[in-house]
Amino acid sequence: MKYFNVTILAKGKKSIQTVEAMNKVSAVKIAKKNNPGKIVQRAVETSAPSGAQMNNLLGEFKKSFEPKIDLNNKIAAIRQIAVMTDAGISIHDAITEVAANAENPKLKKIYENIASDINAGKSIADSIEPYREEFGHIAIAMTNLGEKTGNIAGSYAKLAHILEDIRDNLKKFKKAIRTPLITFAAMGVAFTILIMVVVPKFKEMFEKFDTALPVPTQILLFLEDVLNNYGIYVLAVLASIVFIALKQYKNNKQFKYKVDKILVHPKFYLIHKIIFFSTMHKYTLVFGELVKSGIPVSEALDTAVDMVDNSYIKEKLLTVNANISRGISLSDAFEQTELFENMLLQMIRAGETGGQLDAMLGKVTEYYDSRFQDLIDNLAAYIEPIMLFFIAGLVLLMALGIFMPMWDLGKAVK
């Protein structure tokens, strides 16, 4: 939600009211509703009041602990609606049945509200629109498509298929990254315990040396002093940094853009490929399915680009629709983004010329999916050198830090 200073004119006098709304148009509508008979001149976006900022911060903090709707629950509900509407059951009765059988209380409440809105005369798309954040842009687009074509069952079946593909890729990525993360965490814990328990045993002996200690030993003693005396504060500072960074990434567009740009830079080992191929697979998958379903290319591009999380890639893809509106072909518009390989551009160009764009987009999607799957399947092999370097560095620091002073002591005794 945003805040707007709305100028109200009544009996020749101007007044300014602060209105909370999603956008400027909504702010004007709310102001007109709250001030009947008065003239609403303009709305200008402004920063949130101090009280509202604190409330928003507390609200975000509480919201972070709220359980999210599991993707499997959403897919099951969408699939159930597709099956029931295909069998001839009305959309209202289908959604009511889904709400009655939903296990997730949040999802249950949402579908109850949607069913109530449909019963009150609202369209399906208007009823689901307030829950865009919960369902995503693709769900809104497929609902609009089903309502326009009169084929909710087909649209929701395709929506379930798209969400299942996204879910399966996410599941494979989490499974592949789990072992390396556990290994790194175990090494970090082990090293911390050694620093806090083992190093103090040698500290008294090292302090008796008259000579300067080696650099590795000084590093160990410094880490031991910090962890034993200021460990809680260090942990609190690190947690604060992570929390602030995540908050900035979520709310600050410039900060998010810079981070996203760094993440997809070729020098950012491995991560840039995972983000790029997963993003492009999701984008081309949604775009291809929408085109195949009969949605105009321009509208399909808008919906597909809303599925892109990386703001740097999204900025490049947003130029595609603008270039198409200027009369540039789809393949040329994609080429100007510098995101697509020449082979893929040739395939899209051939699909445009031969009237088989949806088929070619399917092949492009398969290409990105195969590249992403290859990365995930071989993730352990890619990460192994980093893990070995990390482990070797910790072991070397510990060994040199403890044994180098002992070697010097042995020489002094001789």
Side-chain angles (χ1 to χ4, degrees):
M1 298 294 286
K2 300 177 182 178
Y3 291 86
F4 298 87
N5 284 335
V6 182
T7 304
I8 309 295
L9 182 63
K11 297 180 180 180
K13 294 183 178 180
K14 289 184 179 181
S15 61
I16 295 177
Q17 296 180 2
T18 302
V19 176
E20 183 182 6
M22 292 294 294
N23 49 53
K24 189 179 293 187
V25 176
S26 300
V28 171
K29 288 181 179 179
I30 293 171
K32 287 181 178 179
K33 185 178 179 181
N34 294 338
N35 299 274
K38 299 179 181 179
I39 299 174
V40 178
Q41 288 190 323
R42 60 174 183 167
V44 179
E45 187 174 348
T46 184
S47 58
S50 56
Q53 289 179 349
M54 182 58 68
N55 290 334
N56 289 339
L57 185 62
L58 291 174
E60 287 181 9
F61 184 74
K62 291 178 181 178
K63 193 175 181 180
S64 63
F65 291 97
E66 290 181 2
K68 294 183 178 180
I69 302 174
D70 187 65
L71 185 56
N72 290 320
N73 291 339
K74 287 191 279 190
I75 292 173
I78 290 167
R79 184 73 73 183
Q80 191 176 350
I81 293 173
V83 171
M84 286 193 289
T85 51
D86 189 45
I89 300 174
S90 69
I91 185 65
H92 174 265
D93 292 342
I95 291 177
T96 302
E97 183 66 22
V98 168
N101 296 324
E103 296 179 359
N104 187 288
K106 189 175 181 179
L107 189 63
K108 184 183 186 74
K109 182 65 176 175
I110 288 173
Y111 275 120
E112 286 175 351
N113 293 339
I114 292 173
S116 177
D117 289 341
I118 292 174
N119 194 44
K122 283 188 177 182
S123 66
I124 309 166
D126 290 341
S127 301
I128 200 175
E129 178 64 34
Y131 309 104
R132 180 180 289 269
E133 185 176 347
E134 285 79 6
F135 288 103
H137 298 283
I138 183 62
I140 306 297
M142 296 304 287
T143 302
N144 283 320
L145 172 66
E147 200 163 33
K148 288 176 183 177
T149 60
N151 186 16
I152 284 288
S155 296
Y156 270 36
K158 289 181 179 179
L159 173 61
H161 172 69
I162 292 172
L163 293 178
E164 283 170 352
D165 276 354
I166 295 172
R167 177 200 61 190
D168 292 342
N169 283 335
L170 185 62
K171 188 182 294 184
K172 286 191 70 174
F173 176 74
K174 288 182 177 179
K175 184 178 180 181
I177 203 73
R178 187 180 301 139
T179 301
L181 286 178
I182 291 174
T183 303
F184 278 122
M187 284 301 303
V189 171
F191 184 73
T192 303
I193 292 174
L194 286 172
I195 289 291
M196 298 180 69
V197 176
V198 177
V199 173
K201 303 292 184 182
F202 294 90
K203 186 176 181 180
E204 295 180 3
M205 182 175 64
F206 291 159
E207 287 176 347
K208 295 177 181 178
F209 292 174
D210 294 331
T211 59
L213 293 172
V215 174
T217 307
Q218 293 180 30
I219 294 173
L220 287 181
L221 293 177
F222 172 75
L223 291 175
E224 183 274 334
D225 182 62
V226 170
L227 290 176
N228 276 317
N229 296 318
Y230 310 101
I232 296 177
Y233 303 106
V234 170
L235 189 62
V237 169
L238 291 175
S240 301
I241 291 173
V242 171
F243 177 77
I244 293 171
L246 291 175
K247 182 174 171 53
Q248 285 291 311
Y249 184 81
K250 184 178 179 181
N251 299 321
N252 190 321
K253 291 183 179 180
Q254 291 182 344
F255 180 79
K256 184 180 187 304
Y257 179 83
K258 290 178 181 178
V259 173
D260 287 343
K261 187 175 181 179
I262 293 172
L263 290 176
V264 296
H265 194 278
K267 292 183 179 180
F268 207 83
Y269 178 74
L270 190 61
I271 298 297
H272 78 279
K273 288 186 177 181
I274 294 175
I275 293 174
F276 178 76
F277 288 125
S278 63
T279 300
M280 295 306 293
H281 169 254
K282 185 163 61 173
Y283 173 78
T284 53
L285 172 67
V286 173
F287 179 50
E289 288 291 340
L290 293 178
V291 171
K292 191 184 297 183
S293 302
I295 289 183
V297 170
S298 178
E299 188 176 338
L301 285 169
D302 285 337
T303 303
V305 81
D306 282 335
M307 298 291 294
V308 176
D309 297 322
N310 187 282
S311 55
Y312 178 72
I313 297 177
K314 188 173 186 176
E315 182 186 57
K316 288 182 173 290
L317 291 172
L318 281 170
T319 63
V320 175
N321 214 348
N323 288 330
I324 287 178
S325 63
R326 289 164 43 204
I328 298 177
S329 66
L330 180 64
S331 55
D332 289 339
F334 277 150
E335 186 176 8
Q336 291 185 18
T337 64
E338 299 179 350
L339 295 173
F340 293 83
E341 297 175 24
N342 187 52
M343 175 191 68
L344 302 179
L345 292 171
Q346 290 179 4
M347 292 168 61
I348 295 171
R349 193 171 287 117
E352 280 186 293
T353 306
Q356 295 182 329
L357 180 60
D358 54 345
M360 287 302 174
L361 286 172
K363 294 185 181 299
V364 172
T365 301
E366 289 175 5
Y367 170 77
Y368 281 124
D369 186 45
S370 65
R371 293 295 302 270
F372 178 72
Q373 298 299 335
D374 178 67
L375 278 173
I376 298 303
D377 293 339
N378 298 289
L379 191 61
Y382 289 126
I383 294 179
E384 188 175 345
I386 301 175
M387 291 175 57
L388 291 175
F389 180 79
F390 178 73
I391 294 171
L394 294 181
V395 173
L396 187 63
L397 176 63
M398 182 63 70
L400 292 178
I402 291 177
F403 290 114
M404 283 184 72
M406 294 178 147
W407 294 335
D408 292 340
L409 180 61
K411 291 178 182 178
V413 170
K414 288 181 180 180

